[in-house]
Amino acid sequence: MRTHVAIIGAGPAGLMLARLLELAGVDAIIIERRSPDYVLGRIRAGVLEQGTVELMDRAQAAERMHREGHIHHGVELSFDGDRQRIDFSALVGRHVVVYGQTEVTRDLMAARQLASIYDAEDVELHDFDGKPYVTYRKDGASHRIDCDFIAGCDGYHGVSRRSVPQSALTTFERVYPFGWLGILVDKPPVAEELIYAHHSRGFALCSQRSLTRSRYYVQVPADEDPGAWSDDRFWDELRSRLNPETAEALQTGPSIEKSVAPLRSFVAEPLRFGRLFLAGDAAHIVPPTGAKGLNLAMSDVAVLADALIEHFIEGSQAGIDGYSAKVLNRIWKAERFSWWMTNLLHTFPDTGAFGRRIQRAEFDYLASSVAAQQSLAENYVGLLG
Ligand code: APR
Ligand code: PHB
């Protein structure tokens, strides 16, 4: 088999890249390790920046998102029960759309016209400094795909980044000493907008998927066993971290999913190695606090798609040569914002009395300064350029 672009991974990054290339008439094949059902079974975040919404439009996969997604004009921050709304629309004239990443994935899968290879085992990348090709096994048989470029969109644990010689790669990492215990429940959200809460017992987040389905999180130790958390224990803990009014309004019910996600900041540099590119979680991880993971993956592949289209349609090399520097600039700004939100809202083992006062001062500053609110708002809705 032969294609222009072999895309490793059918997460949102790989699927969006494939779709943008397909619409431009550039041939690409997706090679994914899991089955479509497995990919669609993963529960992930659900806040879309305007740039991501526009990319879904460009991908002609936006119809359901516009119908079922909810526009959010702001979020609430809560600090030891004191509340502060951040009004995105008033502060920066933009908003976000709440629509599950799983649904984004489903819509992109449905939009794709060309075939993708799922259930591919032992995917390997070869010779990306020369004439690249990808090998894999499926149903007991070995396969080879020759290509001009490989796009590594296979997430943090994928094979693409691991295929690069160690000496060619610099990585930057911060592992946080806690995780998020999340539950999904078929009850209406506690509030119209998301609530990010700091409390001395730890961070909590009230999020949502629809008018009837909610997603809640509480900060727990990184190695926490979700099995140790009955639904009742979860609801009690969540309520204790919210302001009394919100706690009172919370509608609880049996959880339909419960899991712990670790928090990590990670960036690899550079993101191009000859004819191999890294994009999305394969290239970087942010803690979920700023809701940047999906959006960053989407902005990477928007740049990569344009670079590849420019190459194949116009014969220009400029986009390809500029890819790594261009996306890393945005990636580091999103890393900074996610790190900052994480620091403001969580309790760290070494925060201490001084650190708590600094967090409180940061919250009070946000509550009293339009400039500080604007800074949060423009980052949350997605930086322009
Ligand atoms: N070969 C082929 N596919 C692989 C391999 C492999 N060796 N390893 C992983 N994959 C697949 C995974 O099964 C997954 O479907 O690559 C895909 C990567 O998808 P994601 O992890 O969703 O990563 P990405 O598309 O970059 O999306 C980023 O997802 O993890 C969240 O917070 C993150 O919201 C962000 C978004
Ligand atoms: C979610 O709904 O899962 C969610 C929302 C906002 C975040 C993180 C996760 O910052």
Short mmCIF file of all heavy atoms in Angstrom, two decimals, residues 183-228:
data_model
loop_
_atom_site.label_atom_id
_atom_site.label_comp_id
_atom_site.label_asym_id
_atom_site.label_seq_id
_atom_site.Cartn_x
_atom_site.Cartn_y
_atom_site.Cartn_z
N ILE A 183 -16.48 11.49 38.06
CA ILE A 183 -17.65 10.64 37.85
C ILE A 183 -18.61 11.29 36.86
O ILE A 183 -18.68 12.51 36.73
CB ILE A 183 -18.37 10.21 39.15
CG1 ILE A 183 -19.31 11.27 39.67
CG2 ILE A 183 -17.44 9.80 40.23
CD1 ILE A 183 -20.17 10.68 40.79
N LEU A 184 -19.29 10.41 36.16
CA LEU A 184 -20.28 10.83 35.18
C LEU A 184 -21.63 10.39 35.73
O LEU A 184 -21.76 9.27 36.23
CB LEU A 184 -19.97 10.11 33.87
CG LEU A 184 -20.56 10.63 32.56
CD1 LEU A 184 -20.09 12.06 32.28
CD2 LEU A 184 -20.12 9.73 31.41
N VAL A 185 -22.63 11.27 35.63
CA VAL A 185 -23.93 10.93 36.23
C VAL A 185 -25.06 11.50 35.37
O VAL A 185 -24.92 12.58 34.80
CB VAL A 185 -24.00 11.47 37.68
CG1 VAL A 185 -23.88 13.00 37.71
CG2 VAL A 185 -25.26 11.04 38.39
N ASP A 186 -26.14 10.74 35.23
CA ASP A 186 -27.28 11.23 34.46
C ASP A 186 -28.20 12.06 35.34
O ASP A 186 -29.30 11.62 35.73
CB ASP A 186 -28.02 10.07 33.78
CG ASP A 186 -27.35 9.72 32.46
OD1 ASP A 186 -26.81 10.64 31.80
OD2 ASP A 186 -27.33 8.52 32.09
N LYS A 187 -27.73 13.24 35.68
CA LYS A 187 -28.49 14.24 36.44
C LYS A 187 -28.17 15.59 35.83
O LYS A 187 -27.05 15.79 35.34
CB LYS A 187 -28.07 14.24 37.92
CG LYS A 187 -28.55 13.03 38.70
CD LYS A 187 -30.04 13.15 39.01
CE LYS A 187 -30.54 11.87 39.68
NZ LYS A 187 -31.99 11.87 39.85
N PRO A 188 -29.09 16.53 35.90
CA PRO A 188 -28.79 17.87 35.37
C PRO A 188 -27.61 18.50 36.11
O PRO A 188 -27.46 18.27 37.31
CB PRO A 188 -30.08 18.66 35.64
CG PRO A 188 -31.14 17.65 35.88
CD PRO A 188 -30.46 16.43 36.42
N PRO A 189 -26.79 19.31 35.41
CA PRO A 189 -25.66 19.97 36.06
C PRO A 189 -26.12 20.88 37.20
O PRO A 189 -27.23 21.41 37.16
CB PRO A 189 -25.03 20.80 34.95
CG PRO A 189 -25.73 20.48 33.69
CD PRO A 189 -26.88 19.58 33.97
N VAL A 190 -25.25 21.05 38.18
CA VAL A 190 -25.60 21.82 39.38
C VAL A 190 -25.74 23.31 39.06
O VAL A 190 -26.44 24.04 39.77
CB VAL A 190 -24.54 21.60 40.50
CG1 VAL A 190 -23.18 22.18 40.11
CG2 VAL A 190 -25.01 22.17 41.83
N ALA A 191 -25.09 23.76 37.99
CA ALA A 191 -25.17 25.18 37.61
C ALA A 191 -25.12 25.26 36.10
O ALA A 191 -24.74 24.31 35.43
CB ALA A 191 -24.00 25.94 38.22
N GLU A 192 -25.50 26.42 35.56
CA GLU A 192 -25.47 26.57 34.10
C GLU A 192 -24.04 26.52 33.57
O GLU A 192 -23.78 26.01 32.50
CB GLU A 192 -26.10 27.91 33.71
CG GLU A 192 -27.60 27.82 33.54
CD GLU A 192 -28.21 29.14 33.14
OE1 GLU A 192 -27.55 29.93 32.43
OE2 GLU A 192 -29.36 29.38 33.57
N GLU A 193 -23.11 27.09 34.36
CA GLU A 193 -21.72 27.16 33.89
C GLU A 193 -20.84 26.25 34.73
O GLU A 193 -21.24 25.76 35.79
CB GLU A 193 -21.24 28.61 33.99
CG GLU A 193 -22.01 29.50 33.01
CD GLU A 193 -21.64 30.98 33.08
OE1 GLU A 193 -20.99 31.39 34.06
OE2 GLU A 193 -22.01 31.70 32.13
N LEU A 194 -19.60 26.03 34.26
CA LEU A 194 -18.65 25.20 35.01
C LEU A 194 -18.20 25.93 36.28
O LEU A 194 -18.11 27.15 36.29
CB LEU A 194 -17.41 24.90 34.14
CG LEU A 194 -17.51 23.66 33.25
CD1 LEU A 194 -18.65 23.75 32.26
CD2 LEU A 194 -16.19 23.44 32.51
N ILE A 195 -17.94 25.16 37.32
CA ILE A 195 -17.43 25.74 38.57
C ILE A 195 -16.08 25.09 38.90
O ILE A 195 -16.00 23.86 39.06
CB ILE A 195 -18.40 25.51 39.75
CG1 ILE A 195 -19.78 26.10 39.42
CG2 ILE A 195 -17.83 26.10 41.04
CD1 ILE A 195 -20.86 25.76 40.46
N TYR A 196 -15.03 25.90 38.99
CA TYR A 196 -13.71 25.44 39.41
C TYR A 196 -13.53 25.88 40.86
O TYR A 196 -13.53 27.08 41.13
CB TYR A 196 -12.61 26.08 38.56
CG TYR A 196 -12.54 25.60 37.13
CD1 TYR A 196 -13.35 26.13 36.14
CD2 TYR A 196 -11.62 24.60 36.76
CE1 TYR A 196 -13.27 25.70 34.82
CE2 TYR A 196 -11.52 24.17 35.44
CZ TYR A 196 -12.35 24.72 34.48
OH TYR A 196 -12.26 24.28 33.17
N ALA A 197 -13.38 24.93 41.76
CA ALA A 197 -13.36 25.27 43.19
C ALA A 197 -12.05 24.90 43.87
O ALA A 197 -11.60 23.76 43.79
CB ALA A 197 -14.52 24.56 43.89
N HIS A 198 -11.48 25.89 44.55
CA HIS A 198 -10.34 25.61 45.43
C HIS A 198 -10.89 25.46 46.85
O HIS A 198 -11.74 26.23 47.29
CB HIS A 198 -9.35 26.79 45.40
CG HIS A 198 -8.26 26.66 46.43
ND1 HIS A 198 -6.98 26.29 46.09
CD2 HIS A 198 -8.28 26.83 47.77
CE1 HIS A 198 -6.24 26.23 47.20
NE2 HIS A 198 -7.01 26.56 48.22
N HIS A 199 -10.39 24.47 47.58
CA HIS A 199 -10.79 24.28 48.97
C HIS A 199 -9.61 23.67 49.71
O HIS A 199 -8.79 22.99 49.08
CB HIS A 199 -12.01 23.36 49.04
CG HIS A 199 -12.64 23.32 50.39
ND1 HIS A 199 -12.20 22.47 51.38
CD2 HIS A 199 -13.66 24.04 50.93
CE1 HIS A 199 -12.93 22.66 52.47
NE2 HIS A 199 -13.82 23.61 52.22
N SER A 200 -9.53 23.93 51.01
CA SER A 200 -8.39 23.37 51.76
C SER A 200 -8.39 21.84 51.70
O SER A 200 -7.35 21.20 51.84
CB SER A 200 -8.41 23.85 53.21
OG SER A 200 -9.66 23.50 53.79
N ARG A 201 -9.55 21.22 51.45
CA ARG A 201 -9.59 19.75 51.30
C ARG A 201 -9.13 19.31 49.91
O ARG A 201 -8.95 18.12 49.67
CB ARG A 201 -11.03 19.23 51.52
CG ARG A 201 -11.54 19.44 52.93
CD ARG A 201 -12.95 18.88 53.08
NE ARG A 201 -13.00 17.43 52.94
CZ ARG A 201 -12.76 16.56 53.93
NH1 ARG A 201 -12.46 17.03 55.13
NH2 ARG A 201 -12.84 15.27 53.72
N GLY A 202 -9.00 20.30 48.99
CA GLY A 202 -8.56 19.97 47.63
C GLY A 202 -9.49 20.58 46.60
O GLY A 202 -10.58 21.05 46.90
N PHE A 203 -9.04 20.50 45.35
CA PHE A 203 -9.77 21.06 44.21
C PHE A 203 -11.04 20.26 43.91
O PHE A 203 -11.11 19.06 44.17
CB PHE A 203 -8.83 21.02 43.00
CG PHE A 203 -9.48 21.31 41.69
CD1 PHE A 203 -9.78 22.60 41.31
CD2 PHE A 203 -9.75 20.27 40.79
CE1 PHE A 203 -10.36 22.87 40.07
CE2 PHE A 203 -10.32 20.52 39.55
CZ PHE A 203 -10.63 21.83 39.19
N ALA A 204 -12.03 20.94 43.35
CA ALA A 204 -13.21 20.25 42.80
C ALA A 204 -13.67 20.97 41.53
O ALA A 204 -13.46 22.18 41.40
CB ALA A 204 -14.34 20.22 43.82
N LEU A 205 -14.26 20.22 40.62
CA LEU A 205 -14.78 20.81 39.38
C LEU A 205 -16.17 20.27 39.10
O LEU A 205 -16.41 19.07 39.16
CB LEU A 205 -13.85 20.46 38.20
CG LEU A 205 -14.35 20.80 36.78
CD1 LEU A 205 -14.57 22.30 36.60
CD2 LEU A 205 -13.34 20.31 35.73
N CYS A 206 -17.10 21.19 38.83
CA CYS A 206 -18.44 20.80 38.39
C CYS A 206 -18.52 21.08 36.90
O CYS A 206 -18.48 22.24 36.48
CB CYS A 206 -19.51 21.63 39.10
SG CYS A 206 -19.40 21.55 40.90
N SER A 207 -18.61 20.02 36.11
CA SER A 207 -18.70 20.19 34.66
C SER A 207 -19.94 19.46 34.16
O SER A 207 -20.76 18.98 34.95
CB SER A 207 -17.44 19.68 33.99
OG SER A 207 -17.48 19.92 32.59
N GLN A 208 -20.10 19.41 32.86
CA GLN A 208 -21.34 18.86 32.30
C GLN A 208 -21.12 18.39 30.88
O GLN A 208 -20.17 18.79 30.22
CB GLN A 208 -22.41 19.95 32.34
CG GLN A 208 -21.95 21.24 31.70
CD GLN A 208 -22.87 22.41 32.02
OE1 GLN A 208 -23.83 22.65 31.31
NE2 GLN A 208 -22.59 23.13 33.10
N ARG A 209 -21.99 17.52 30.43
CA ARG A 209 -21.97 17.06 29.04
C ARG A 209 -23.21 17.51 28.29
O ARG A 209 -23.21 17.64 27.08
CB ARG A 209 -21.88 15.53 29.00
CG ARG A 209 -20.56 14.96 29.47
CD ARG A 209 -19.44 15.24 28.46
NE ARG A 209 -18.16 14.79 28.98
CZ ARG A 209 -17.39 15.51 29.78
NH1 ARG A 209 -17.75 16.73 30.13
NH2 ARG A 209 -16.26 15.05 30.23
N SER A 210 -24.31 17.67 29.01
CA SER A 210 -25.58 18.08 28.40
C SER A 210 -26.48 18.60 29.52
O SER A 210 -26.04 18.68 30.68
CB SER A 210 -26.23 16.89 27.71
OG SER A 210 -26.67 15.95 28.69
N LEU A 211 -27.72 18.90 29.19
CA LEU A 211 -28.64 19.41 30.22
C LEU A 211 -29.05 18.31 31.19
O LEU A 211 -29.64 18.56 32.24
CB LEU A 211 -29.88 20.02 29.56
CG LEU A 211 -29.60 21.28 28.73
CD1 LEU A 211 -30.86 21.78 28.04
CD2 LEU A 211 -28.99 22.38 29.60
N THR A 212 -28.76 17.06 30.83
CA THR A 212 -29.17 15.94 31.69
C THR A 212 -27.99 15.08 32.16
O THR A 212 -28.19 14.12 32.89
CB THR A 212 -30.15 15.02 30.94
OG1 THR A 212 -29.52 14.60 29.72
CG2 THR A 212 -31.46 15.73 30.62
N ARG A 213 -26.79 15.40 31.72
CA ARG A 213 -25.63 14.58 32.10
C ARG A 213 -24.51 15.48 32.64
O ARG A 213 -24.13 16.46 32.00
CB ARG A 213 -25.13 13.77 30.91
CG ARG A 213 -23.95 12.89 31.25
CD ARG A 213 -23.63 11.91 30.14
NE ARG A 213 -24.56 10.79 30.14
CZ ARG A 213 -24.38 9.67 29.42
NH1 ARG A 213 -23.31 9.57 28.64
NH2 ARG A 213 -25.26 8.69 29.47
N SER A 214 -24.01 15.13 33.83
CA SER A 214 -23.00 15.96 34.49
C SER A 214 -21.71 15.19 34.72
O SER A 214 -21.70 13.96 34.80
CB SER A 214 -23.52 16.45 35.85
OG SER A 214 -24.77 17.08 35.69
N ARG A 215 -20.64 15.94 34.83
CA ARG A 215 -19.31 15.38 35.09
C ARG A 215 -18.72 16.15 36.27
O ARG A 215 -18.67 17.39 36.23
CB ARG A 215 -18.44 15.56 33.84
CG ARG A 215 -17.03 15.03 33.97
CD ARG A 215 -16.97 13.56 33.68
NE ARG A 215 -15.62 13.06 33.50
CZ ARG A 215 -15.23 11.85 33.89
NH1 ARG A 215 -16.09 11.04 34.49
NH2 ARG A 215 -14.01 11.44 33.68
N TYR A 216 -18.33 15.44 37.31
CA TYR A 216 -17.76 16.08 38.49
C TYR A 216 -16.40 15.47 38.81
O TYR A 216 -16.17 14.27 38.54
CB TYR A 216 -18.69 15.90 39.70
CG TYR A 216 -20.03 16.58 39.53
CD1 TYR A 216 -21.16 15.86 39.16
CD2 TYR A 216 -20.16 17.96 39.72
CE1 TYR A 216 -22.39 16.49 38.98
CE2 TYR A 216 -21.38 18.59 39.54
CZ TYR A 216 -22.49 17.86 39.18
OH TYR A 216 -23.70 18.48 38.99
N TYR A 217 -15.53 16.29 39.39
CA TYR A 217 -14.19 15.80 39.78
C TYR A 217 -13.84 16.30 41.17
O TYR A 217 -14.21 17.41 41.56
CB TYR A 217 -13.13 16.36 38.84
CG TYR A 217 -13.24 15.98 37.38
CD1 TYR A 217 -13.88 16.82 36.47
CD2 TYR A 217 -12.67 14.81 36.89
CE1 TYR A 217 -13.96 16.50 35.12
CE2 TYR A 217 -12.74 14.48 35.54
CZ TYR A 217 -13.39 15.33 34.66
OH TYR A 217 -13.47 15.03 33.32
N VAL A 218 -13.06 15.49 41.89
CA VAL A 218 -12.40 15.96 43.11
C VAL A 218 -10.93 15.56 43.05
O VAL A 218 -10.58 14.49 42.52
CB VAL A 218 -13.03 15.40 44.42
CG1 VAL A 218 -14.44 15.93 44.63
CG2 VAL A 218 -13.02 13.87 44.44
N GLN A 219 -10.08 16.43 43.58
CA GLN A 219 -8.64 16.13 43.67
C GLN A 219 -8.42 15.01 44.68
O GLN A 219 -8.98 15.05 45.78
CB GLN A 219 -7.91 17.40 44.12
CG GLN A 219 -6.42 17.19 44.37
CD GLN A 219 -5.77 18.41 45.02
OE1 GLN A 219 -6.34 19.51 45.04
NE2 GLN A 219 -4.57 18.21 45.55
N VAL A 220 -7.62 14.02 44.30
CA VAL A 220 -7.27 12.89 45.19
C VAL A 220 -5.78 12.61 45.03
O VAL A 220 -5.16 13.07 44.07
CB VAL A 220 -8.07 11.60 44.83
CG1 VAL A 220 -9.56 11.77 45.10
CG2 VAL A 220 -7.84 11.19 43.38
N PRO A 221 -5.17 11.82 45.94
CA PRO A 221 -3.78 11.43 45.72
C PRO A 221 -3.62 10.70 44.38
O PRO A 221 -4.56 10.02 43.93
CB PRO A 221 -3.49 10.48 46.89
CG PRO A 221 -4.48 10.88 47.94
CD PRO A 221 -5.71 11.33 47.21
N ALA A 222 -2.45 10.84 43.76
CA ALA A 222 -2.25 10.32 42.40
C ALA A 222 -2.51 8.81 42.31
O ALA A 222 -2.98 8.31 41.30
CB ALA A 222 -0.84 10.64 41.94
N ASP A 223 -2.22 8.08 43.41
CA ASP A 223 -2.33 6.61 43.34
C ASP A 223 -3.66 6.12 43.93
O ASP A 223 -3.80 4.94 44.27
CB ASP A 223 -1.15 5.97 44.08
CG ASP A 223 -1.07 6.46 45.51
OD1 ASP A 223 -1.91 7.31 45.91
OD2 ASP A 223 -0.16 6.01 46.25
N GLU A 224 -4.63 7.01 44.02
CA GLU A 224 -5.92 6.64 44.64
C GLU A 224 -6.63 5.54 43.83
O GLU A 224 -6.66 5.56 42.60
CB GLU A 224 -6.82 7.88 44.70
CG GLU A 224 -8.04 7.71 45.56
CD GLU A 224 -7.73 7.84 47.05
OE1 GLU A 224 -6.56 7.69 47.45
OE2 GLU A 224 -8.67 8.10 47.81
N ASP A 225 -7.24 4.61 44.56
CA ASP A 225 -8.01 3.54 43.92
C ASP A 225 -9.48 4.00 43.84
O ASP A 225 -10.11 4.21 44.86
CB ASP A 225 -7.89 2.26 44.77
CG ASP A 225 -8.85 1.17 44.31
OD1 ASP A 225 -9.37 1.28 43.17
OD2 ASP A 225 -9.06 0.21 45.09
N PRO A 226 -10.02 4.15 42.61
CA PRO A 226 -11.42 4.60 42.52
C PRO A 226 -12.38 3.65 43.21
O PRO A 226 -13.47 4.06 43.65
CB PRO A 226 -11.69 4.66 41.01
CG PRO A 226 -10.54 4.02 40.33
CD PRO A 226 -9.40 3.94 41.29
N GLY A 227 -11.96 2.38 43.35
CA GLY A 227 -12.80 1.40 44.04
C GLY A 227 -13.02 1.75 45.50
O GLY A 227 -13.95 1.26 46.15
N ALA A 228 -12.15 2.59 46.05
CA ALA A 228 -12.29 2.98 47.46
C ALA A 228 -13.34 4.08 47.63
O ALA A 228 -13.61 4.52 48.74
CB ALA A 228 -10.94 3.48 47.99
#
